[in-house]
């Protein structure tokens, strides 16, 4: 394509991503501006068709950050209506039996009732929709349906904003009749709040070497369904967590089942992407898990109404990169602020955004024209309760990776009793490097879905309401297009066929009867698993045309 002249808009602050961290940052910026009676221009760009369309989380919500941001959130109508009322943790021994863990042996961070704060079963998507309303009332401009495609840099590398992706580019890379060049959004400071494995955040971490003093980041894939269930099986506020079956001792993860409002239940499975067996399919593990009697009792007779999946940045403090660079910050899951010991990240993501907002506003209010590295942020962040939470659970993930679910749980329980006196553990093996050759394993014979409790991928994609303009360049980029068949297929039986939770990747036969790697990018729900787990790191996820992807309801 020829170089095009682009229009631009100037803002004080541009925020990439209308998730919890980005929206909390936007609200906090404008609150400070109003308190100081100062004009401030803040823009939030969201690649989903609407705010909340790409948001997927459990979620049990701890409103500590929300209490600080909007102390009157009840009067404002925040969608927190179902307090957690009963909290149970189980170990699934096999496909039929389960053992309930005594409350005294459940690590303190996993407790969801009791204490000073009430936790709530919520829809993270609805929380973000509500936060967006608050932000707009404060004067924030929100642009849904526009994907940030590139970072704008000065000649010296300083971040100066973002470039919105072009609309109307054909699959051949040429402009269509509907072509609309992307606009430059320039800013004094840019906050990147894209969520887990953000494609711009990934580039910034590499460009500024932000992870040089951190362990390799670790991820999980979270799969979730929303069910309508009969009234006699519904107990609003019931919170169940568990581990064990169907995962083997070398595959770490856990499941959740929450009773939400309106006779709905959410059920999900999180699998560490450090798993070793290339034949493992997270989607199929999730589907067969629902047949366990403990979970089946709540779902049987109900109907599945939504499905989705998303990567989870779960490495914790040991893996947290430096969050500042000239002209901007990484916040929320783009950096990795989730507290996996609590299985919660919304509250810490929001707090990271609020601390970033306070650092940015302080600089601008003092006459800063932008482009500097906000070194004051690090001290403010390290003094926050969110950072302390991450520090207290810094060994949680590495202990489970090293000693297994039970042994790691025991290590963390003992560390908790001793007030964090045990040595800090580290896991320095990247998730993609943990995968072992297919020759060391047997293929897994997953049961066929019954269409009542378990389902296939095509029907699941349908329930994610995923849609992409078909005539556009594929947003899943292969560094070496020959590698999947040449290397991954013989060594790993091409694991992309299985780790993708919506069937984007297939190995099919071409006209000559030879294997061919096929990418069905229209199915992509933007989970980022391929970008993380491909053993050769050959797949790079980039943002497709704005508005594409899933359209989750109250997920």
């Amino acid at each position: 394509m020829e170089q095009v002249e682009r229009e631009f808009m100037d803002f004080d602050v541009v925020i990439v991503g209308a998730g919890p961290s980005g929206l909390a940052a936007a609200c906090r910026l404008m609150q400070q501006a109003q308190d100081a009676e100062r004009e401030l221009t803040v823009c939030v760009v969201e690649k989903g068709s609407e705010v909340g369309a790409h948001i997927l989380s459990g979620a049990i919500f701890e409103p500590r950050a929300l209490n600080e941001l909007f102390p009157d959130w009840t009067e404002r109508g925040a969608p927190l209506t179902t307090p957690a009322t009963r909290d149970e943790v189980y170990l699934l021994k096999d496909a039929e039996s389960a053992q309930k863990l005594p409350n005294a042996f459940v690590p303190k961070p996993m407790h969801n009732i009791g204490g000073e704060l009430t936790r709530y079963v919520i829809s993270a998507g609805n929380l973000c929709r509500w936060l967006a309303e608050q932000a707009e009332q404060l004067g924030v401009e929100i642009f849904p349906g526009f994907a940030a495609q590139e970072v704008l840099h000065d000649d010296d590398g300083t971040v100066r904003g973002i470039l919105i992706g072009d609309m109307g580019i054909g699959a051949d890379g040429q402009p269509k009749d509907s072509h609309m060049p992307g606009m430059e959004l320039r800013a004094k400071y840019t906050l990147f709040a894209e969520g887990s494995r953000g494609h711009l955040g990934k580039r910034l971490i590499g460009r500024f070497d932000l992870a040089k003093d951190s362990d390799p980041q670790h991820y999980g894939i979270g799969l979730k369904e929303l069910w309508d269930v009969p009234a006699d099986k519904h107990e609003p506020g019931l919170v169940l967590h568990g581990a064990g079956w169907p995962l083997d001792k070398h595959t770490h993860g856990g499941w959740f089942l929450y009773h939400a409002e309106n006779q709905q239940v959410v059920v999900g499975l999180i699998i560490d992407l450090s798993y070793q067996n290339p034949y493992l399919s997270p989607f199929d593990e999730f589907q067969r898990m629902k047949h366990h009697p403990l979970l089946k009792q709540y779902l049987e007779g109900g109907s599945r109404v939504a499905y989705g999946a998303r990567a989870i940045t779960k490495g914790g403090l040991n893996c947290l990169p430096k969050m500042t660079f000239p002209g901007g910050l990484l916040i929320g899951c783009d950096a990795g602020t989730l507290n996996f010991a609590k299985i919660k990240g919304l509250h810490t993501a929001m707090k990271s955004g609020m601390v970033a907002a306070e650092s940015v506003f302080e600089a601008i209010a003092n006459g800063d024209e932008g482009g500097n590295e906000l070194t004051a942020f690090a001290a403010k962040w390290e003094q926050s309760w969110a950072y302390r939470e991450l520090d207290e659970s810094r060994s949680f993930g590495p202990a489970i990776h090293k000693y297994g679910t039970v042994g790691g749980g025991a290590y963390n329980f003992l560390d908790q009793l001793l007030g964090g006196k045990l040595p800090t553990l580290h896991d320095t093996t990247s998730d993609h490097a943990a995968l072992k050759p297919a020759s060391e394993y047997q293929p897994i014979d997953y049961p066929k879905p019954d269409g009542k409790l378990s389902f296939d991928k095509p029907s699941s994609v349908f329930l994610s309401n995923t849609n992409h303009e078909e005539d556009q360049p594929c947003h899943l980029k292969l560094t070496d297009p020959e590698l999947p068949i040449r290397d991954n297929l013989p060594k790993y039986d091409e694991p992309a066929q299985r780790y993708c939770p919506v069937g984007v990747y297939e190995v099919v036969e071409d006209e000559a009867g030879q294997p061919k790697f096929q990418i069905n990018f229209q199915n992509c729900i933007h989970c980022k698993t391929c970008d993380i787990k491909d053993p050769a790191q050959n797949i790079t996820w980039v943002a497709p045309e704005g508005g594409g992807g899933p359209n989750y309801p109250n997920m």
Side-chain angles (χ1 to χ4, degrees):
M1 284 180 57
E2 297 179 4
Q3 190 72 26
V4 295
E5 188 169 334
R6 299 184 182 277
E7 296 182 5
F8 66 89
M9 296 175 68
D10 285 312
F11 296 91
D12 290 312
V13 184
V14 166
I15 299 171
V16 182
S21 64
L23 291 169
C27 290
R28 188 72 193 107
L29 280 163
M30 297 306 286
Q31 286 175 340
Q32 294 172 99
Q34 289 189 1
D35 290 345
E37 298 182 344
R38 182 187 180 96
E39 185 176 341
L40 191 74
T41 55
V42 178
C43 165
V44 178
V45 177
E46 166 55 41
K47 65 182 172 65
S49 60
E50 64 173 20
V51 173
H54 289 181
I55 298 294
L56 183 143
S57 181
I60 302 296
F61 182 60
E62 190 171 290
R64 188 168 182 177
L66 183 61
N67 289 342
E68 296 175 1
L69 187 62
F70 292 110
D72 59 343
W73 56 261
T74 302
E75 292 77 13
R76 289 172 175 263
L80 279 65
T81 58
T82 309
T85 55
R86 189 153 66 94
D87 192 17
E88 297 178 351
V89 179
Y90 290 86
L91 179 65
L92 303 189
K93 293 183 171 182
D94 52 39
E96 296 294 331
S97 61
Q99 180 179 347
K100 182 181 176 182
L101 299 185
N103 197 50
F105 292 118
V106 175
K108 187 177 178 181
M110 288 186 66
H111 292 188
N112 288 295
I113 57 175
E116 297 178 0
L117 282 174
T118 300
R119 287 89 170 172
Y120 295 84
V121 181
I122 71 160
S123 156
N126 286 345
L127 175 66
C128 289
R129 292 180 178 98
W130 178 83
L131 283 170
E133 292 173 1
Q134 310 312 305
E136 288 182 324
Q137 289 172 17
L138 287 163
V140 176
E141 294 188 61
I142 300 179
F143 300 151
F146 292 92
Q149 194 63 257
E150 302 285 347
V151 180
L152 299 178
H153 293 276
D154 274 351
D155 291 341
D156 64 359
T158 299
V159 172
R160 293 295 183 182
I162 57 162
L163 172 65
I164 298 296
D166 289 6
M167 306 286 276
I169 299 294
D172 59 1
Q174 297 302 309
K176 298 185 289 188
D177 291 342
S178 60
H179 178 240
M180 184 172 68
M183 182 180 290
E184 291 185 358
L185 301 183
R186 302 173 182 175
K188 294 177 180 176
Y189 288 101
T190 308
L191 308 185
F192 293 85
E194 305 163 280
S196 182
R197 195 72 165 195
H199 80 119
L200 298 182
K202 178 183 171 184
R203 293 182 202 172
L204 290 163
I205 289 170
R207 178 164 186 151
F208 293 106
D209 203 13
L210 301 178
K212 66 179 180 180
D213 297 322
S214 307
D215 291 349
Q217 187 57 265
H218 293 286
Y219 300 87
I221 177 173
L223 305 104
K224 175 185 173 181
E225 292 176 350
L226 181 65
W227 284 66
D228 289 334
V229 298
D232 61 350
K233 295 189 175 184
H234 187 238
E235 183 185 333
L238 174 60
V239 174
L240 304 181
H241 288 108
W245 185 88
L247 305 182
D248 63 31
K249 64 180 181 180
H250 300 296
T251 306
H252 310 125
W255 55 268
F256 59 89
L257 189 146
Y258 308 146
H259 288 236
E261 60 187 355
N262 300 326
Q263 273 183 233
Q264 290 192 318
V265 164
V266 297
V267 59
L269 176 65
I270 298 170
I271 296 180
D272 280 9
L273 287 177
S274 61
Y275 68 80
Q276 300 173 1
N277 185 348
Y279 289 115
L280 184 140
S281 164
F283 175 86
D284 291 298
E285 296 290 348
F286 176 41
Q287 295 306 314
R288 70 172 171 175
M289 179 200 79
K290 290 179 291 175
H291 284 271
H292 194 284
L294 181 65
L295 287 82
K296 179 180 178 180
Q297 65 178 317
Y298 297 109
L299 303 175
E300 205 164 32
S303 60
R304 186 177 71 146
V305 295
Y307 164 81
R310 186 70 170 92
I312 299 167
T313 310
K314 57 174 286 294
L317 188 66
N318 296 345
C319 307
L320 195 66
K322 183 182 177 186
M323 297 165 71
T324 61
F325 45 86
L329 295 99
L330 291 177
I331 56 176
C333 289
D334 223 349
T337 58
L338 177 136
N339 182 347
F340 199 62
K342 281 189 172 183
I343 325 177
K344 295 178 182 65
L346 300 176
H347 65 306
T348 47
M350 289 178 66
K351 184 62 176 178
S352 73
M354 292 158 65
V355 175
E358 289 163 6
S359 302
V360 169
F361 184 79
E362 181 180 53
I364 292 175
N366 287 328
D368 189 326
E369 288 300 315
N372 295 307
E373 182 159 351
L374 297 176
T375 53
F377 167 83
K380 293 177 186 291
W381 171 240
E382 289 173 14
Q383 291 165 7
S384 72
W385 54 259
Y387 184 91
R388 288 195 299 275
E389 270 195 25
L390 297 183
D391 186 43
E392 290 167 1
S393 60
R394 62 193 178 278
S395 291
F396 185 86
I400 289 175
H401 287 186
K402 185 172 184 177
Y403 301 121
T405 301
V406 176
Y411 185 96
N412 285 301
F413 185 74
L414 182 59
D415 193 36
Q416 172 188 312
L417 290 178
L418 297 175
K421 297 293 196 302
L422 292 182
T424 298
L425 299 180
H426 296 268
D427 182 351
T428 57
T429 301
S430 296
D431 292 337
H432 71 271
L435 203 67
K436 293 187 175 181
S439 59
E440 298 183 23
Y441 296 89
Q442 293 295 318
I444 301 173
D445 184 19
Y446 288 107
K448 290 185 178 180
D450 67 356
K452 297 177 181 178
L453 287 174
S454 50
F455 305 89
D456 60 14
K457 286 182 180 178
S459 65
S460 300
V461 176
F462 178 78
L463 285 182
S464 70
N465 300 307
T466 296
N467 183 57
H468 292 91
E469 166 60 49
E470 292 192 21
D471 186 14
Q472 66 171 304
C474 176
H475 64 280
L476 302 160
K477 308 296 185 182
L478 301 181
T479 305
D480 179 354
E482 307 302 321
L483 187 144
I485 299 302
R486 185 189 67 229
D487 299 345
N488 280 357
L489 185 60
K491 187 171 183 180
Y492 301 105
D493 195 42
E494 186 42 81
Q497 303 176 86
R498 291 172 292 279
Y499 61 58
C500 175
V502 285
V504 167
Y505 302 101
E506 293 182 284
V507 175
V508 298
E509 284 191 1
D510 64 15
E511 294 176 355
Q514 297 300 308
K516 172 187 172 184
F517 192 60
Q518 180 168 293
I519 302 178
N520 308 308
F521 76 85
Q522 298 91 339
N523 285 5
C524 179
I525 55 173
H526 301 195
C527 75
K528 316 293 182 66
T529 303
C530 56
D531 194 290
I532 298 163
K533 190 59 178 174
D534 181 70
Q537 293 293 275
N538 188 49
I539 302 174
T540 299
W541 188 99
V542 300
E545 193 170 282
N551 283 280
Y552 294 134
N554 51 324
M555 292 282 270

